[in-house]
């Protein structure tokens, strides 16, 4: 039948975990990165996928193919070097407290990973955040963007915020990682507080790359300057790259970003 605009089609790709990872790694890291870094990514990605599949046993699918889970583009994106990293770590996952541990990761932490409790209100000891001195080579370690007041207002209204105008924007106190907890917007004589993650979602995460940023006001626009890209929880991929350049082994990389976990076999 002819589909109406409101109709949706869900296509679920049923694939084994190892073949799935062969289509994930080339999309998440550069195939030319140090091999120990590629293996660390393979173990983290496998741990995340298995954790999600256990958590979502009653759902129609385990993970999505985009950044809401981890990017997967199938067999056409496979590369021999990343495939070797998957094969060399076959069945290896992170374990904590007798269970598979979610290998959360992000592009660049900007110098300090985030506490998972501050981001997703979860309590996980290995993900309390820590300093990272390895990701300064990242092109996203520092970033800067200018946005007009009109653009910011339009994006907030589009997301449903009842704000008629923007007279000023201020930032809240920061956590130990330097990330802002909420953003305050003044309209007339009233202040509106918006969770930083919600603010980033409204403006666009490709524009506001992280919640570790500063803001400076000008007559008709604001300049945002910050550090890192992503939610900041778990393994910093550019940090893992930096550690790989220093000849750090896979286990050392994973222990650094997931302290207290150990590498175990799924079997």
């Amino acid at each position: 039948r002819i589909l109406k605009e409101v109709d949706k089609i869900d296509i679920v790709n049923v694939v084994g975990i190892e073949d799935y990872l062969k289509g994930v790694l080339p999309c998440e890291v550069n195939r030319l990165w140090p091999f120990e870094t590629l293996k660390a990514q393979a173990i983290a990605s496998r741990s995340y996928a298995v954790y999600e599949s256990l958590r979502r046993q009653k759902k129609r699918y385990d993970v999505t193919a985009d950044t809401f889970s981890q990017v997967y583009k199938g067999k056409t994106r496979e590369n021999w070097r990343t495939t070797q990293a998957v094969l060399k770590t076959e069945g290896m996952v992170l374990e904590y407290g007798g269970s598979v541990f979610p290998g959360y990761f992000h592009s660049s932490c900007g110098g300090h990973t985030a506490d998972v409790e501050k981001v997703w209100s979860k309590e996980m000891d290995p993900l309390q955040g820590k300093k990272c001195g390895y990701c300064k080579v990242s092109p996203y370690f520092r970033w800067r963007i200018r946005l007009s007041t009109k653009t910011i207002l339009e994006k907030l209204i589009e997301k449903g915020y009842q704000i008629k105008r923007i007279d000023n924007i201020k930032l809240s106190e920061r956590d130990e990682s330097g990330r802002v907890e909420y953003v305050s917007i003044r309209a007339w004589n009233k202040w509106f507080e918006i969770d930083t993650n919600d603010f980033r979602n409204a403006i666009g995460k490709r524009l506001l790359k992280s919640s570790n940023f500063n803001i400076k006001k000008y007559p008709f626009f604001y300049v945002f300057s910050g550090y890192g890209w992503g939610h900041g929880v778990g393994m910093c991929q550019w940090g893992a790259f930096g550690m790989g350049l220093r000849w750090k082994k896979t286990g050392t990389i994973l222990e650094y970003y997931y302290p207290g976990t150990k590498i175990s076999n799924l079997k």
Side-chain angles (χ1 to χ4, degrees):
R1 66 187 178 86
I2 298 176
L3 296 176
K4 299 178 181 179
E5 289 185 4
V6 294
D7 291 334
K8 294 181 180 179
I9 297 176
D10 283 337
I11 299 176
V12 180
N13 182 15
V14 181
V15 61
I17 182 69
E18 302 302 326
D19 287 335
Y20 163 73
L21 292 172
K22 293 174 186 176
V24 167
L25 254 66
C27 304
E28 286 291 350
V29 288
N30 190 309
R31 61 186 175 84
L32 299 178
W33 279 10
F35 196 61
E36 294 298 312
T37 300
L38 299 185
K39 290 195 295 180
Q41 181 66 58
I43 296 173
S45 289
R46 185 181 293 106
S47 300
Y48 173 80
V50 172
Y51 177 87
E52 286 296 291
S53 68
L54 293 173
R55 188 177 70 87
R56 296 171 55 88
Q57 290 185 56
K58 295 182 180 180
K59 304 292 184 179
R60 292 185 57 244
Y61 54 86
D62 301 318
V63 291
T64 61
D66 52 23
T67 54
F68 285 102
S69 294
Q70 46 190 356
V71 181
Y72 167 76
K73 294 190 177 180
K75 193 171 183 62
T76 58
R77 286 296 297 272
E78 291 182 14
N79 172 268
W80 72 269
R81 201 160 182 269
T82 49
T83 292
Q84 283 299 309
V86 173
L87 295 175
K88 291 290 185 180
T89 62
E90 183 175 358
M92 295 182 187
V93 292
L94 295 169
E95 178 191 340
Y96 183 77
S99 301
V100 176
F101 189 78
Y104 297 125
F105 57 87
H106 57 281
S107 177
S108 175
C109 71
H112 200 299
T113 62
D115 186 337
V116 67
E117 187 174 1
K118 299 290 180 63
V119 180
W120 296 315
S121 300
K122 298 180 180 180
E123 290 187 14
M124 295 181 174
D125 288 341
L127 298 177
Q128 293 183 356
K130 64 181 303 178
K131 290 183 179 180
C132 169
Y134 296 102
C135 64
K136 291 182 179 179
V137 294
S138 167
Y140 317 114
F141 182 77
R142 297 191 68 174
W143 52 268
R144 184 176 184 271
I145 188 169
R146 189 178 85 169
L147 294 173
S148 69
T149 306
K150 180 182 177 182
T151 297
I152 298 170
L153 180 61
E154 288 174 348
K155 288 179 177 293
L156 290 173
I157 291 175
E158 187 179 325
K159 285 295 183 179
Y161 290 98
Q162 302 299 313
I163 299 175
K164 301 296 184 181
R165 58 182 287 161
I166 296 177
D167 294 319
N168 199 5
I169 302 177
K170 290 187 176 181
L171 305 178
S172 72
E173 295 181 357
R174 302 172 185 272
D175 61 19
E176 291 183 357
S177 70
R179 288 167 172 80
V180 178
E181 297 183 9
Y182 62 87
V183 175
S184 296
I185 296 178
R186 183 166 67 86
W188 300 110
N189 292 319
K190 187 175 182 180
W191 286 92
F192 297 86
E193 290 185 356
I194 303 176
D195 180 86
T196 305
N197 289 323
D198 294 334
F199 184 74
R200 286 184 62 218
N201 284 331
I203 302 302
K205 290 186 176 180
R206 287 190 172 275
L207 296 176
L208 296 185
K209 290 180 168 52
S210 76
S211 56
N212 183 356
F213 62 84
N214 297 295
I215 186 170
K216 188 172 182 179
K217 180 183 178 182
Y218 290 89
F220 300 105
F221 62 89
Y222 290 84
V223 171
F224 296 83
S225 57
Y227 297 85
W229 192 353
H231 50 67
V233 176
M235 185 174 72
C236 169
Q237 290 172 308
W238 277 95
F241 168 73
M243 294 185 74
L245 290 179
R246 292 167 173 78
W247 304 100
K248 303 294 184 182
K249 296 295 185 181
T250 297
T252 302
I253 296 173
L254 294 173
E255 172 61 25
Y256 187 81
Y257 290 108
Y258 310 102
T261 64
K262 64 179 182 179
I263 299 175
S264 295
N265 195 289
L266 274 175
K267 295 180 181 180

